[in-house]
């Protein structure tokens, strides 16, 4: 089968690999699409370490089941699936509490476990989510990223009618705009990139940030952007931090105490509830996240696809079809 591996930072190669064999509790998925995000870009550039090179990248994968393991009873050949690429152990204290995003043994596909940038991949059946055949491929490709956005929304406690500020309108910020508008919130974006701001506006978000907001979602990972956003957050408001950056936030305790802000980190999602509810939403055709896709590449142009992640207004993806 064909696959693309990262040989060195920013150097990718098209290679032939053996088709994977599946275990009794796994399914074999023929890949159809792979979404790309900022964490992929970190691996591509060498900023995020991986266990070895050459390395198989990619984690936002979708496709079709072509074989099932002997012990798999609830998945069948022919189903289209979205892959949940964070395999929790199910045994640690965090998993027992339903807080699987904090699993101490979490397998992270494409990061500490080989990724999905290949024509066929073996996936634990529990983490291959069947999605209705009526869901378009473009919407299917956004399942994992949409789940990240909806998990942050769940953790925020946002309610219909509240005013929400989204800081950063990259692919995650755009999906937050889409999901928040579907919930009935009033959404504004803080985004200097004209193309991204225009996309957010097409999703129903306002581009003006006048007045105060009940909640804030920070997706850019830029400390200065968060500081500017917090100035618009009402007293007693909550900020959900989704973007990741190692630079200091440069906030004082007075910033938080006098305005009584709550800062809360939101990492990926919790299994199985968040993926399950997102798939249900897609099956009911209540949201069309594929609108965020703005650049499509074939497998042979994977290097160009990864290089485009930062510059494209919207989301880049790789099509195997």
């Amino acid at each position: 089968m064909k696959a693309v591996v990262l040989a060195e930072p920013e150097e990718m190669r098209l290679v032939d690999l053996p088709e994977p064999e599946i275990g009794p509790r796994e399914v074999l998925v023929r890949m159809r699409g792979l979404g790309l995000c900022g964490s992929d870009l970190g691996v591509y550039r060498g900023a995020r370490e991986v266990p070895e090179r050459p390395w198989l990248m990619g984690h936002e994968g979708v496709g079709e089941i072509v074989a099932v393991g002997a012990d798999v009873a609830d998945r069948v050949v022919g189903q289209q699936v979205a892959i949940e690429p964070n395999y929790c152990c199910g045994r640690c204290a965090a998993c027992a509490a339903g807080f699987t995003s904090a699993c101490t043994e979490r397998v992270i596909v494409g990061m500490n476990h080989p990724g999905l940038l290949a024509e066929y991949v073996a996936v634990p059946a529990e983490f291959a989510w069947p999605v209705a055949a009526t869901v378009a491929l473009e919407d299917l490709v956004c399942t994992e990223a949409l789940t990240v956005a909806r998990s942050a929304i769940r953790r925020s406690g946002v309610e219909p009618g509240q005013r929400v500020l989204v800081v950063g309108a990259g692919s995650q910020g755009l999906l937050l705009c889409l999901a928040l508008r579907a919930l009935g919130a009033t959404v504004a974006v803080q985004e200097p990139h004209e193309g991204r701001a225009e996309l957010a506006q097409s999703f129903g978000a306002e581009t003006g940030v006048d007045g105060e907001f009940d909640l804030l979602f920070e997706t850019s990972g830029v400390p200065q952007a968060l500081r500017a956003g917090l100035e618009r957050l009402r007293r007693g408001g909550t900020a959900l931090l989704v973007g990741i950056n190692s630079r200091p936030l440069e906030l004082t305790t007075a910033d938080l105490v006098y305005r009584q802000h709550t800062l809360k980190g939101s990492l990926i999602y919790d299994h199985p509830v968040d993926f399950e509810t997102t798939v249900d939403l897609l099956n009911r055709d209540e949201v069309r996240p594929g609108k965020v896709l703005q650049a499509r590449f074939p497998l042979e142009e994977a290097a160009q696809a990864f290089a485009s992640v930062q510059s494209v207004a919207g989301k880049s993806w790789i099509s195997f079809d």
Side-chain angles (χ1 to χ4, degrees), residues 141-155:
V141 165
C142 296
T143 305
E144 200 267 352
L146 179 62
T147 303
V148 173
R150 295 187 69 253
S151 300
I153 291 171
R154 171 180 62 80
R155 291 162 178 161

Side-chain angles (χ1 to χ4, degrees), residues 72-304:
V72 177
D74 54 355
R75 304 289 190 271
V76 298
V77 170
Q79 286 178 319
Q80 76 167 355
V81 293
I83 297 168
E84 180 182 349
N86 287 276
Y87 308 157
C88 55
C89 73
R91 301 180 300 273
C92 67
C95 285
F99 189 32
T100 68
S101 54
C103 173
T104 57
E105 303 295 330
R106 181 161 58 97
V107 171
I108 312 171
V109 174
M111 307 296 169
N112 64 15
H113 181 82
L116 307 174
L117 196 53
E119 291 182 307
Y120 294 91
V121 296
V123 180
E126 180 183 358
F127 296 93
W129 288 89
V131 182
T134 53
V135 176
L137 176 60
E138 289 79 3
D139 294 323
L140 187 69
V141 165
C142 296
T143 305
E144 200 267 352
L146 179 62
T147 303
V148 173
R150 295 187 69 253
S151 300
I153 291 171
R154 171 180 62 80
R155 291 162 178 161
S156 75
V158 63
E159 297 180 356
Q162 288 187 306
R163 295 193 77 221
V164 180
L165 177 62
V166 175
V167 178
S171 59
Q172 189 55 223
L174 290 168
L175 287 168
L176 271 164
C177 290
L178 193 67
L180 286 162
R181 288 293 298 135
L183 184 66
T186 298
V187 183
V189 294
Q190 178 180 296
E191 172 57 62
H193 189 287
E194 185 176 344
R196 290 172 179 163
E198 288 177 356
L199 262 179
Q201 194 170 27
S202 74
F203 291 175
E206 301 170 0
T207 54
V209 292
D210 295 331
E212 289 190 325
F213 295 85
D214 301 303
L215 293 107
L216 179 152
F217 291 83
E218 207 297 313
T219 72
S220 71
V222 178
Q224 298 92 328
L226 173 61
R227 182 66 181 259
L230 288 173
E231 291 175 0
R232 293 292 185 183
L233 187 63
R234 67 166 172 80
R235 293 180 183 272
T238 297
L240 269 289
L241 310 186
V242 181
I244 299 173
N245 195 301
S246 59
R247 286 178 287 174
L249 289 179
E250 298 180 359
L251 296 175
T252 69
T253 54
D255 293 323
L256 302 179
V257 172
Y258 283 118
R259 295 186 62 82
Q260 300 188 65
H261 287 162
T262 298
L263 268 62
K264 192 172 185 180
S266 183
L267 180 66
I268 57 166
Y269 34 76
D270 293 310
H271 178 82
V273 60
D274 289 322
F275 237 86
E276 186 174 42
T277 57
T278 298
V279 167
D280 186 53
L281 196 71
L282 290 172
N283 287 342
R284 297 199 310 268
D285 196 27
E286 291 188 10
V287 64
R288 301 297 301 273
K291 294 187 293 184
V292 77
L293 299 178
Q294 296 293 307
R296 176 176 179 166
F297 298 85
L299 180 64
E300 294 76 13
E301 296 178 11
Q304 295 94 310

Side-chain angles (χ1 to χ4, degrees), residues 22-68:
I22 58 172
R25 296 182 180 178
E26 294 182 319
V27 296
L28 184 66
V29 177
R30 178 180 68 83
M31 292 292 293
R32 296 190 62 210
L34 183 81
L36 305 181
C37 74
S39 58
D40 294 311
L41 184 63
V43 174
Y44 173 72
R45 290 180 169 174
R48 184 162 182 165
E49 288 298 321
V50 290
E52 61 186 21
R53 294 194 188 95
W55 182 250
L56 196 58
M57 295 176 59
H59 66 282
E60 297 182 12
V62 302
E64 176 187 357
I65 294 177
V66 294
V68 299

